[in-house]
Amino acid sequence: MSIAQLDEVNQRIKEAALRFGPLSEDAPAPKLIAVSKTFDADQIDPILSAGQKHFGENRVQEAQGKWPTLKEKYDGIVLHLIGPLQTNKVKDAVALFDVIHSVDREKLAKALAKEFTASGRKLPVFVQVNIGEEPQKAGIAPSETVEFVKTCQNTYGLDVRGLMCIPPAGAPSAPYFAQLAELAKGADLHELSMGMSADFDTAVEMGATYVRVGSAIFGHRDYSAH
């Protein structure tokens, strides 16, 4: 992990964004979500000190162990839940996170709506699309995405900002990113959460507004410790 790696990722995002089109106030560079899952607070601290504001975590319980203290120490942190959310964790998630990227079923949409009302804290959300229609992955089927977005908005009053996806491992990402962009247009959404360490340049070129980058910033994770 080094600040040089963070700077390099930001530079690559900017260069890829310029290939997509000129940058302006109306068309800014995509936001970098530094994926800090499995890393401890002392490993995240230097990245925060360097000015990075957006961070992503996969698990509510893990995030609860480090982010309340970090949020007290640093202003302006935006914490994104990018992993699956169980309905029994909704209350904790809404209290800690600022954006939820993984709304993938009506039961969860309903639970979030209920908690937003109860807490008075209404978070922006993304609908997760199972863009490769893989049975082992969470997400709404592409063919059901537009209708599900309408349900989230009209039935449950959710502030759906955009769509999120994780393309199939080992497959070229570009066609899946292009498909997600088309689905977002069909749902009249303007935000796209797509692209990770291996393919974020491609995602930016295809119109991503958020990229979720972990190992290219923090290095490879030691999953045995978690």
Side-chain angles (χ1 to χ4, degrees):
M1 175 180 62
S2 71
I3 304 309
Q5 288 169 275
L6 176 67
D7 291 342
E8 181 186 345
V9 169
N10 276 313
Q11 183 61 31
R12 284 170 58 187
I13 288 171
K14 186 176 180 181
E15 289 171 0
L18 288 168
R19 292 194 289 272
F20 180 70
L23 301 179
S24 67
E25 281 189 20
D26 294 328
K31 291 184 175 68
L32 167 63
I33 299 172
V35 179
S36 49
K37 65 179 183 180
T38 77
F39 290 100
D40 297 329
D42 60 346
Q43 296 171 291
I44 300 167
D45 204 278
I47 304 299
L48 279 159
S49 296
Q52 175 65 26
K53 297 294 188 186
H54 292 261
F55 289 83
E57 290 281 343
N58 266 42
R59 298 174 186 272
V60 176
Q61 193 167 350
E62 182 192 337
Q64 284 176 312
K66 53 191 173 183
W67 280 104
T69 303
L70 290 169
K71 279 190 159 194
E72 284 181 14
K73 185 176 178 182
Y74 293 94
D75 292 330
I77 291 173
V78 182
L79 192 58
H80 300 253
L81 179 61
I82 59 174
L85 177 57
Q86 303 303 318
T87 52
N88 65 345
K89 295 286 187 183
V90 160
K91 185 174 182 178
D92 291 340
V94 172
L96 179 60
F97 287 90
D98 303 293
V99 188
I100 293 173
H101 287 242
S102 47
V103 178
D104 61 356
R105 60 202 186 279
E106 190 167 352
K107 183 181 178 183
L108 177 56
K110 184 178 181 179
L112 284 167
K114 184 177 178 181
E115 183 57 30
F116 291 157
T117 300
S119 65
R121 181 170 160 78
K122 185 175 183 179
L123 308 186
V125 304
F126 285 71
V127 165
Q128 182 171 351
V129 181
N130 186 349
I131 201 71
E133 301 191 67
E134 299 171 272
Q136 77 279 16
K137 276 189 183 170
I140 292 291
S143 61
E144 298 170 8
T145 297
V146 173
E147 192 60 38
F148 180 68
V149 168
K150 289 178 184 173
T151 298
C152 289
Q153 293 169 326
N154 300 332
T155 303
Y156 299 108
L158 299 187
D159 178 13
V160 182
R161 295 289 177 86
L163 303 179
M164 182 269 251
C165 78
I166 304 169
S173 297
Y176 295 102
F177 293 153
Q179 186 182 2
L180 195 74
E182 284 301 309
L183 287 171
K185 284 181 188 174
D188 196 25
L189 298 173
H190 306 289
E191 303 277 0
L192 292 169
S193 170
M194 60 189 196
M196 298 188 288
S197 289
D199 56 15
F200 70 87
D201 309 76
T202 302
V204 172
E205 291 175 10
M206 305 297 286
T209 57
Y210 288 92
V211 293
R212 311 179 305 272
V213 180
S215 58
I217 297 169
F218 289 98
H220 291 289
R221 298 178 171 83
D222 179 10
Y223 285 103
S224 64
H226 291 264

